């Protein structure tokens, strides 16, 4: 595989590239969720929140990593603070042509390193139950399955009734960073 560079998004052009990948990811994911569960979420509201909040995925508490290969963005992964000492991995996405080449693992390793640097003791994530490859990757890196946790990201984009259904089709994981 050609050299991949992982970098913290800073410049507006990088933010646009990351935003395009996040939109691609959320649209893809929403399509699958809709087809499999008849469930829908507001991808544009999620993307707007991701890109407009200057603290959500940016230092000192968050990170937005962009994977670049030959000048083009091919992956994105984010870290945000859930509460003091607890971070959450979000928006992990690798463009289809770059999957299966170790890029997802490299991004998660970097996000774990960044979480430690930010002072987190615990790292969490949520994922749809059909993303088996992602779950295998996370488990191989030390994440373990847990019950749904408070203030997960979808709680901001779902009604209470829809959220209960979402919990049933989601996987929640946690890693102790000590």
């Amino acid at each position: 595989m050609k050299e991949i560079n992982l970098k913290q998004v800073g410049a507006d052009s990088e933010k646009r590239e990351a935003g395009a990948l996040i939109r691609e990811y959320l649209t893809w994911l929403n399509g699958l969720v809709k087809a499999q569960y008849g469930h829908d979420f507001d991808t544009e509201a999620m993307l707007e929140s991701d890109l407009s909040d200057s603290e959500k995925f940016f230092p000192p508490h968050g990170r937005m990593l962009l994977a670049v290969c030959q000048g083009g963005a091919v992956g994105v992964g984010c870290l945000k603070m859930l509460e003091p000492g607890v971070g959450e991995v979000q928006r992990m996405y690798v463009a289809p042509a770059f999957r299966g080449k170790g890029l997802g693992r490299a991004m998660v390793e970097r996000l774990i390193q960044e979480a430690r640097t930010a002072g987190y003791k615990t790292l969490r994530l949520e994922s749809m139950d059909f993303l088996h490859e992602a779950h295998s990757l996370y488990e191989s890196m030390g994440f373990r399955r847990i019950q749904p946790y408070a203030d997960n990201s979808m709680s901001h984009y779902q009604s209470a009734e829809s959220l209960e259904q979402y919990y049933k089709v989601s996987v929640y994981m946690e890693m102790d960073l000590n």
Side-chain angles (χ1 to χ4, degrees), residues 22-122:
I22 292 170
R23 176 179 276 118
E24 184 177 317
Y25 166 66
L26 292 174
T27 301
W28 168 77
L29 189 64
N30 194 40
L32 291 172
V33 169
K34 214 183 238 186
Q36 292 191 29
Y37 307 113
H39 207 54
D40 193 17
F41 48 85
D42 189 343
T43 58
E44 288 304 311
M46 294 169 81
L47 181 63
E48 174 64 23
S49 171
D50 291 352
L51 299 178
S52 67
D53 186 335
S54 63
E55 295 182 17
K56 184 175 183 177
F57 294 140
F58 298 94
H61 302 295
R63 306 291 188 272
M64 181 181 284
L65 298 181
L66 188 63
V68 178
C69 181
Q70 295 183 317
V74 299
V76 65
C78 300
L79 171 69
K80 78 171 197 174
M81 181 171 73
L82 282 177
E83 60 188 66
V86 181
E88 183 181 43
V89 173
Q90 286 195 336
R91 311 299 186 249
M92 279 293 304
Y93 181 71
V94 174
F98 290 84
R99 293 180 187 159
K101 302 177 190 309
L103 178 55
R105 179 173 295 279
M107 285 198 306
V108 174
E109 286 172 349
R110 175 74 179 274
L111 288 171
I112 291 169
Q113 175 188 10
E114 294 289 339
R116 285 186 171 116
T117 298
Y120 295 125
K121 304 298 181 209
T122 303

